[in-house]
Amino acid sequence: MEVIMNTLGSKIRSLRKSKKMTLVDLAGDYMTKGMLSLIENDKNNPSMESLEYIAKKLDTSVSALMEDGDEVITNETYIKIKENLKSPSFTREHEFKDILDPIIDQIKHNRKGAFIFQCYAYTKAVHKDQTALDYLNTAKQIYLELNDKNALLDVENDVITIQFILNNYNEAFSSGVELYEKYKDDYEISNPNALPRLLLSVSAYAYSSYDLSNLFKYLKLAEKESINNKTIKLLPSIYKSLCFGYMLDGDIDMYKQTLDKFDYLEPFLHNDFNYKYDIFTTKMIYYFYNKQDEALLELINNQHQHLESDDYTRDTFDSANKNIWTLMKGIALYRKEMYDDAIILLQKYQPDIEFQAPADIAVFAQKYTYLAMNEERLNNIKKAKEFIQIANDKIKQIPPNHFTKITEDTYKRIMN
């Protein structure tokens, strides 16, 4: 008599066969056939992200594939958190707290609970709350008990990212590299996004310290991992980051070669918001750096046309990105000698986060640089000196780069 195992892998295999789908059909463009085979044979624990993909392809739910400790409460909470995550906001902490506080002890022993703690940790970290690491450690313990390497890699990556957010910069890059070396050849890592996403994080840490050599090294590794794993949805973010690096390095030829790679992804991702958003921001920084102000203003003024998608789009317009677009539009208007409109926007620009990356600080400093130039234009030299001193103080903490030059030149002119 055949014993039927009611494991996660067997459920996935049984559902797949009932729908007359092959391993290749179910794997699709998300993962390789080999990765899916390991999951179906219970030789690999899929991440929550992978489970959501599989469940959707099989016309079922993650809940139907899994059994959790306190299943009803956990599932209800999980659904609320997922809905909350659809609207990016720096004020999510209160929404998460209201959802979690009453039931937090009941979700400490299952996979969905761990995922919820990971989400909650980020809302804490944004407000520089050290308890963010406590929630990640709770998630880590759950994954250790489940012997889930995919989730362990994910949560360890989160730990490093949150250490970075909490200003522990010196450890972030080296810890990220160590984590990649630890897992890069581990066949049990079946989530195709895990390693490319980790490498994107490592490259971001390199960018933060103006380490362009390692920025390019780890982004190219991320590109290779994504292509090998058929993880094409991460490629736009990788190409955008490469373009930013080449722009910071002043290598316009490599920028253009990398921008052309977006065209290869268009047939697969033409309706994907993140794909369109990555192209949008990549072009925006290019026009800004090269002083192509007409093109920059057209892009920003018609942002909805370029990025129209869903509620996620509108929330993004109204939150973090609105500020940097306001700054760039103000500078473009100033360069076109539309001074009054430009100054209104420059004065309005107030970043939500004090950026630490060199290019971000250099661009942020331009707010005060252009305010100084305007006062100089009006012959208010005392006020001009006050503004340019603020700008110069901001760029002192970073290496000189193409974005600092206008502040440096303006400082020399006004102060002399």
Side-chain angles (χ1 to χ4, degrees), residues 5 12 71 105 131 135 139 177 180 210 246 261 299 317 334 343-344 348-349 353 365 377 382 384 393 395:
M5 298 291 290
I12 293 171
E71 190 170 0
D105 288 332
T131 62
Y135 286 101
V177 172
Y180 173 66
Y210 200 63
Y246 290 129
K261 292 184 177 182
L299 193 69
F317 290 155
Y334 191 93
I343 296 305
I344 288 171
K348 181 179 179 182
Y349 171 65
I353 299 173
R377 178 180 68 85
K382 181 179 178 181
D393 288 345
I395 66 169

Side-chain angles (χ1 to χ4, degrees), residues 3 18 39 45 65 94 120 169 205 230 275 336 350 365 372:
V3 177
S18 72
I39 291 170
N45 288 314
L65 294 175
H94 298 299
Y120 196 28
Y169 306 122
Y205 308 144
K230 300 165 63 177
Y275 166 75
K336 289 174 64 64
Q350 296 292 335

Side-chain angles (χ1 to χ4, degrees), residues 178-224:
E178 287 175 12
L179 192 59
Y180 173 66
E181 293 297 326
K182 175 181 176 181
Y183 284 108
K184 67 178 182 179
D185 296 318
D186 194 328
Y187 76 94
E188 292 185 23
I189 301 301
S190 63
N191 180 359
N193 290 313
L195 289 174
R197 189 178 290 135
L198 170 61
L199 288 165
L200 267 170
S201 297
V202 172
S203 69
Y205 308 144
Y207 173 75
S208 72
S209 57
Y210 200 63
D211 183 354
L212 295 184
S213 176
N214 277 317
L215 170 73
F216 296 133
K217 174 183 175 180
Y218 288 102
L219 283 174
K220 287 174 181 176
L221 277 173
E223 179 185 22
K224 181 179 177 181

Side-chain angles (χ1 to χ4, degrees), residues 90 126 128 164-165 167 169 323 349-358 360-365 367-368 390-391 393-395 397-398:
F90 291 118
V126 165
K128 307 296 183 183
F164 180 79
I165 294 172
N167 300 339
Y169 306 122
N323 286 316
Y349 171 65
Q350 296 292 335
D352 291 322
I353 299 173
E354 186 70 20
F355 293 114
Q356 297 296 330
D360 296 328
I361 292 176
V363 173
F364 177 37
K367 166 183 175 170
Y368 297 99
I390 294 172
D393 288 345
K394 290 188 178 301
I395 66 169
Q397 57 188 301
I398 62 174

Side-chain angles (χ1 to χ4, degrees), residues 296-304 329:
L296 177 60
L297 289 170
E298 189 281 332
L299 193 69
I300 294 175
N301 289 337
N302 295 290
Q303 56 189 263
H304 287 279
K329 184 175 180 179

